[in-house]
Amino acid sequence: MSEWREQLELDGQGAVYEQIKRALSVNIRSGDWAPGHRVPGEEDLANHFGAARMTVHRALRELTDEGLIIRRRRAGSFVALPPPPAAMLEIVDMSSLIPARGQHYHYECLVNETVNADQETAERMRIETGSPVQRILCRHYADEAVVELEERWINLSLLPEARTAAFDRSSPGAWLLSVAPWTEAEHTVSAANADTATAELLDAAIGQACLVLERRTFQAERVVTYARLTHPGDRHSMSERFIPGNGSQS
């Protein structure tokens, strides 16, 4: 267990408990600490980081709440087993997920416009062709790399306020969570090679293998939003850990 001291360093960004949490989660998410690996104890971590034991306790508690570790009375803390495959499609907030990996998150809105739905979009959203929808095209970054290209359409008959929402500052998913809780979600996962336009938006090579997630969220039977999320295959993994209802967004 002594080698763990060389693996854990604070990055100087934010509160100390957040830095400790990131330092631990990096080793867990990278696979350096496999499921069942014993996490150093609170007292050892407090001495190593020069932090109060209460600060360490908070970091471990939040990692437990996120499903990354399990805590056993008198035995200590251990890296949790990964969730069943269905949990991989949990709707997650990239602005929370990426910092939890120990990476810097950045969001960039490229397009925010009101358009009339073409036939394909109308069918997906269960609305009449020509109905007004808000279209947003944006990118999510981990450090300096694009990890997700998001193209989203919002049903303006349900959410007219989307016309004037500040998507230049906040992602549409985070905004939707605050104004339109969803009752049901549908996912379709596929693979695709990046065409010229997509490759340029992803800062990737033409033909790059990509994971594509198409998502619709509903209020009763009405489609609130349809999104197409494209991830470069060499920068994205679906092995994240989630617990139901934690960090969800539309």
Side-chain angles (χ1 to χ4, degrees), residues 13-236:
Q13 303 295 317
V16 174
Y17 85 89
E18 293 176 333
Q19 297 181 51
I20 295 172
K21 182 180 169 183
R22 279 196 297 273
L24 295 170
S25 67
V26 164
N27 285 281
I28 296 170
R29 294 180 185 278
S30 68
D32 287 344
W33 291 0
H37 179 93
R38 191 177 189 281
V39 178
E42 286 187 10
E43 185 175 355
D44 287 337
L45 289 171
N47 290 335
H48 175 68
F49 290 120
R53 189 161 178 172
M54 184 178 298
T55 301
V56 174
H57 179 81
R58 179 174 179 179
L60 293 175
R61 186 186 72 238
E62 292 197 5
L63 289 172
T64 302
D65 291 342
E66 293 174 11
L68 284 176
I69 65 175
I70 55 174
R71 308 190 75 184
R72 298 173 182 161
R73 191 173 182 179
R74 297 179 182 172
S77 300
F78 300 84
V79 176
L81 289 170
M88 294 180 183
L89 293 178
E90 184 84 12
I91 301 176
V92 297
D93 183 356
M94 296 295 278
S95 65
S96 299
L97 174 62
I98 291 170
R101 293 173 172 169
Q103 296 174 291
H104 173 69
Y105 172 74
H106 173 61
Y107 163 79
E108 179 184 21
C109 184
L110 303 174
V111 176
N112 179 21
E113 60 183 359
T114 302
V115 299
N116 296 324
D118 58 24
Q119 182 177 353
E120 182 180 5
T121 301
E123 289 176 355
R124 286 171 170 161
M125 300 188 71
R126 300 181 181 177
I127 56 179
E128 295 291 330
T129 300
S131 298
V133 293
Q134 197 69 19
R135 174 178 174 264
I136 304 101
L137 180 66
C138 53
R139 299 192 285 195
H140 302 268
Y141 290 77
D143 294 332
E144 300 302 317
V146 181
V147 292
E148 181 177 272
L149 174 65
E150 174 180 355
E151 187 171 19
R152 185 182 291 270
W153 295 261
I154 299 174
N155 187 341
L156 289 176
S157 68
L158 292 176
L159 293 173
E161 58 268 42
R163 290 179 184 268
T164 56
F167 295 129
D168 57 326
R169 298 194 298 271
S170 178
S171 71
W175 180 83
L176 282 161
L177 176 62
S178 68
V179 301
W182 51 276
T183 59
E184 186 178 353
E186 174 189 87
H187 297 93
T188 301
V189 180
S190 61
N193 295 325
D195 58 21
T196 301
T198 302
E200 182 176 353
L201 290 169
L202 290 173
D203 293 332
I206 297 172
Q208 165 75 57
C210 297
L211 175 71
V212 180
L213 174 62
E214 294 178 272
R215 174 185 299 143
R216 293 192 298 178
T217 53
F218 298 80
Q219 285 183 352
E221 293 300 314
R222 304 187 69 184
V223 177
V224 179
T225 177
Y226 165 71
R228 181 179 172 87
L229 312 172
T230 304
H231 313 87
D234 61 348
R235 304 175 203 162
H236 186 79

